[in-house]
Amino acid sequence: MSTMRSAGQISLRNLRAIPRLPSAFFPALLMPIFTMIAFSGTFYAVTKIPGFPTDRSINWYMPIGVLFGSSFSGIGIGFTTIRDIETGFYDRLRMSPAPRNALIIGPLFTAWMRTVILNLIVVPIGVALGVRFEGGILAVLSLLAASLGMSTLSLGWGLGLAYRFRDMRAAAIMQLSIFIGLYLTSAQMPLEFIDGWLHHVATYNPITYILYLARQGLVLDGTSHDMSWSNTWPGLLAIVVLSGLALAFARRGLDKLDK
Amino acid sequence: MTNSPSNSPILAENLTRHFGEVKAVDGIDMQVNAGEIFGFLGPNGAGKSTAVRMLTTLLRPTAGRAIVAGFDVATHPDEVRRRIGVALQDAAIDPLMTGSELLQLQAVLYGIPSSQTKSRTAELLERVGLTAAGDRRVGTYSGGMRRRLDLALSLIHQPTVLFLDEPTTGLDPMSRLTLWEEVRRLNREGTTVLLTTQYLEEADQLADRIAIIDKGKIVREGKPQDLKAEVGFPTLIVNVQKDHQDAARSVLLQFGELRPTAEGTLGVGLRDGAQVVTDVVRKLDEAHVHLIHLEINEPSLDDVFADATGHRLEGDKS
Amino acid sequence: MSTVLQPVAASRSFGLSLRQTRAMAWRSTKETFRQPALVGPSMIFPIFFAALGASSFSRATSLPGFPKVESFLQFSLAATVVQGVLFGSVTGAAALATDIQNGFFDRLLLAPTSRTGILIGRLAGSAIFGAVQAAAFIAVLWPFGATIKSSFGGALVMVLSGGIVALAIGSLMSAVAIKTASAEAVQGTFPLLFILLFFSSAFFPRETMSGLYRNIADVNPISYLVEGMRELVLVGFSTSAMAKAIFIPTAICVVAILIALRQLRVRLASR
């Protein structure tokens, strides 16, 4: 079997699990909605700080919610993989003659599908609650690109950890690291408004730039809502580099699984 | 030993427990004599644990009554609790506590005065051979150690009646022997013991009297040797080729009644004892039955069980 | 046996009950601290969020409607305490559910002790943990600028309040634990606590909120609890601060304990 055909089959199995075990998908769906509503409601007043790049708090907080959800779509598959390893089902997959890469690419397709479904649900809710894509269709595509990027790197990271620990400890590490990685950015406030230690950490955290990619067209850049290459390329670069590292980490873990 | 119902440590009359439609315990009558080891023998789900939970005040009977250590379990549960020790199935022990911490907690719960708690804990740890492990968390104990700690916990207040629910299930043979020895020792010291088991050997070795329980009812009761004697005849078990089974069956029927055996074998209770085996073999040969294997078993509790219930206990487990 | 004990006294004195309750409380406290994987998150996350907020929201303190504060961290202290205590109180209740699941609770029920004592002891353990958490948060954040205006007296009140809140939430969670006998069900209530906390004035002043969100925060009891503690931190002692931080939580606590005890009675009666 070719890599793609095997990957398709594996992906199909994971996708079937969504309607059959909705409780496993719900958290990844509810979390971004909750984050979006709770943050923009609680921190409603921050838009009144002089120089804040938007007067709609939901425009500022929806992207971080979507990125949280996308990350959980990725590591959610890491959770399933741990369960499969624990029950022995994963051995069955590994024993098949399917190419090894299919075992990673298949789940990747699933993570992307989930991320698209998530965007299709969360973004309209956001718009209904007041989100305005000032940058037009390009702004939507930019958010989607950032979102798919987060799900790719989370999937690689999640699978890699699942292969290495092979028990629920990996799940805790996945959640914690994604959580911290996303919070140590301009998640809550614009980088220019952040003081002290967090300012330094967020400046060097590549996920900050994925967040720029996600937010552009929703918030002002200087005085315009236009898309800019300078807000795009750092995010894309961060996605390519982090995803590459994470997927390589997963592949090495998979190869070490039989040792 | 006295047999009058008024002072027997455990007495049950028509003890019944239903869970919805399921009759887990379906009207059992029993009497355990002081100083006795009494065994409840039966497969998983026979109702042994449910019966024990009622006798130990953890579960209320749907009907009937039980007197334990002189008190009715339904009306005077606290009096019963004060006098009985219970080691529950699976040794339910909090893995985060150390052995001696659990014993001390147990001592307080049973109202042992503070002045005696320490010495009592040390004494019991020594008794079950856990002195060295007393300050380790229970999570690090082996299965055998947990059972022994469980036993020590149930002895904290020197109960006169001890209930052991499947005390050796899942233990290795060495640990099992150690536990049996401890139960015998306790019994010699005067403790009445009721134990449940699904192991024939355990019931045979340990119990003065047993009750065989199946589908919530007691189907046989008595001393193991008496029960075996009632079944009487030794069992001849033969293993023949599949297509010879019918022919073999008709031959065996000439020597006694067929008995349930493991799948693929035939068993017969030899009416005239073991000496007729040569006749059986000759008759089988004449009937052109090809014999693969043959064995003769003196009556065991399994035969008693099979005789009473129509199925075997040992076969159930495989 | 090597020594022969006096038969156990049949008395069920008040002193004995107290000793038994204390033993249960001690057990549950020790048990909590022996599970760093469970205790850790409820200690570390609130501090992480406090540190994050202090860096992110320093400019927000000059917004209209924001109370007079020395730093955002000072503003966050009360929320940090409440957040930690809320999440920590799930731990004790989940442990109770595990006790029921694995049969350890049966062993406790086999003892000739008062049923109430077993539960109250457990709950007292939760209260102790809540108070310890509150003290730890104050000790960690005070040196970094979370100055308490009402000084050590106020800190003591906050610690006490932490214990009472842990007892109240712990009792409600224990009612769930007793009813369901499932640690998963108890942990499943976790998102509810999260929502309760976020839709309150815990992280930002109510005065800066608007619309429906403000209305929800207005009726959310967590708002008042946090605001009571915050008043002790930012302003000083007052009757209203004491009422919000101590008296009202105590009243809720009593009701919560009664609910838990009732649930225990229902469980014991349905055996």
Side-chain angles (χ1 to χ4, degrees), chain A residues 185-246:
Chain A
T185 59
S186 54
Q188 303 194 91
M189 290 295 270
L191 200 51
E192 313 78 72
F193 287 27
I194 302 175
D195 295 333
W197 67 277
L198 183 60
H199 184 88
H200 298 290
V201 175
T203 308
Y204 292 106
N205 183 351
I207 297 176
T208 298
Y209 300 95
I210 302 180
L211 202 48
Y212 270 110
L213 180 68
R215 275 184 181 141
Q216 72 167 327
L218 282 162
V219 301
L220 278 171
D221 179 27
T223 52
S224 95
H225 279 110
D226 291 343
M227 315 293 291
S228 75
W229 182 238
S230 65
N231 271 337
T232 310
W233 74 262
L236 290 179
L237 182 67
I239 288 173
V240 170
V241 172
L242 291 180
S243 299
L245 289 174

Side-chain angles (χ1 to χ4, degrees), chain C residues 76-249:
Chain C
S76 311
L77 179 59
T80 307
V81 169
V82 171
Q83 189 188 359
V85 170
L86 282 190
F87 295 165
S89 56
V90 178
T91 314
L96 173 62
T98 307
D99 273 357
I100 299 175
Q101 261 171 323
N102 72 15
F104 188 75
F105 201 65
D106 278 345
R107 177 188 296 287
L108 300 175
L109 292 181
L110 278 167
T113 44
S114 89
R115 278 46 201 135
T116 317
I118 294 175
L119 183 62
I120 297 287
R122 193 18 115 199
L123 294 174
S126 296
I128 294 170
F129 182 55
V132 169
Q133 276 184 300
F137 292 133
I138 293 170
V140 170
L141 298 186
W142 198 331
F144 289 95
T147 324
I148 300 178
K149 277 278 169 60
S150 54
S151 193
F152 286 104
L156 212 62
V157 173
M158 286 172 77
V159 169
L160 184 65
S161 176
I164 294 168
V165 173
L167 188 56
I169 304 291
S171 303
L172 290 177
M173 294 284 152
S174 297
V176 177
I178 295 165
K179 192 171 174 69
T180 61
S182 148
E184 282 81 28
V186 174
Q187 260 136 9
T189 61
F190 197 82
L192 284 178
L193 287 182
F194 216 77
I195 292 171
L196 203 63
L197 189 68
F198 248 103
F199 287 77
S200 78
S201 59
F203 299 112
F204 240 56
R206 254 192 300 158
E207 291 71 20
T208 66
M209 297 175 183
S210 79
L212 183 63
Y213 209 88
R214 166 78 192 256
N215 297 339
I216 296 173
D218 279 344
V219 294
N220 186 343
I222 300 292
S223 295
Y224 297 92
L225 173 65
V226 176
E227 284 165 20
M229 285 200 199
R230 195 174 283 152
E231 213 175 311
L232 290 169
V233 177
L234 302 180
V235 184
F237 278 112
S238 71
T239 320
S240 76
M242 290 296 284
K244 288 177 199 161
I246 300 284
F247 303 139
I248 297 172

Side-chain angles (χ1 to χ4, degrees), chain A residues 1-15:
Chain A
M1 273 206 281
S2 75
T3 303
M4 283 305 145
R5 227 181 113 217
S6 310
Q9 282 305 310
I10 293 168
S11 177
L12 204 61
R13 165 177 175 258
N14 288 333
L15 278 177

Side-chain angles (χ1 to χ4, degrees), chain C residues 6 12 122 139 146-147 177 220 262-263:
Chain C
Q6 293 298 310
R12 201 204 231 176
R122 193 18 115 199
T147 324
N220 186 343
R262 201 192 128 63
Q263 213 43 255

Side-chain angles (χ1 to χ4, degrees), chain A residues 10-19 109-110 113-114 117:
Chain A
I10 293 168
S11 177
L12 204 61
R13 165 177 175 258
N14 288 333
L15 278 177
R16 280 201 192 104
I18 297 177
F109 286 164
T110 316
M113 288 294 285
R114 283 181 175 210
I117 296 174

